Amino acid sequence: MNFSAIPLALQAVLLLIAANVFMTFAWYGHLKSLANSPWYTAALVSWGIALMEYLLQVPANRIGFHEAGLEVGQLKIIQEVITLAVFVPFSVFFLNEPLKLDYVWAGLCMVGAVYFVFRG
């Protein structure tokens, strides 16, 4: 695949999505998969997973800021929207948590945040 054909802002977003999947598993995956392990085992495993997140997130932010011309605030709001978009399915399907209406309201608030950082 020719990554140079993908617009820079989209490259940044795709990397942020991948990074957030790793980070969600690092932060919350151990609650189910390592539930019977000592906390320090969960922490070490989580750090290993989080390393992958950093290896994706750092270039995503550099591409977004330096090459795509996004502002830091825009990158942060994109990250937060991605966090919610990844976390909700993760919590429902992986952790078997109920889907709550509060997630919808939070998502609508994020739409407002996106509007304000990208307007004008």
Side-chain angles (χ1 to χ4, degrees):
M1 178 175 197
N2 182 7
F3 290 108
S4 63
I6 301 173
L8 293 169
L10 183 56
Q11 287 180 30
V13 168
L14 292 173
L15 285 168
L16 287 172
I17 291 169
N20 203 277
V21 169
F22 280 104
M23 202 61 193
T24 300
F25 273 94
W27 283 10
Y28 304 105
H30 62 87
L31 296 175
K32 181 176 181 180
S33 61
L34 297 172
N36 296 323
S37 298
W39 72 266
Y40 51 84
T41 300
L44 290 172
V45 170
S46 293
W47 282 349
I49 296 169
L51 173 62
M52 291 303 301
E53 185 265 346
Y54 282 103
L55 293 174
L56 295 168
Q57 195 235 10
V58 169
N61 284 326
R62 293 176 67 87
I63 290 168
F65 184 76
H66 292 296
E67 298 178 39
L70 294 169
E71 296 174 6
V72 173
Q74 292 171 330
L75 284 166
K76 182 59 179 172
I77 292 301
I78 290 169
Q79 175 63 35
E80 294 304 325
V81 168
I82 291 168
T83 296
L84 187 61
V86 169
F87 177 76
V88 171
F90 175 86
S91 67
V92 170
F93 296 113
F94 186 78
L95 295 177
N96 299 315
E97 294 283 321
L99 180 61
K100 297 180 181 179
L101 192 55
D102 289 344
Y103 293 145
V104 175
W105 304 133
L108 289 173
C109 290
M110 295 302 257
V111 169
V114 169
Y115 168 76
F116 285 113
V117 298
F118 282 96
R119 70 182 171 150

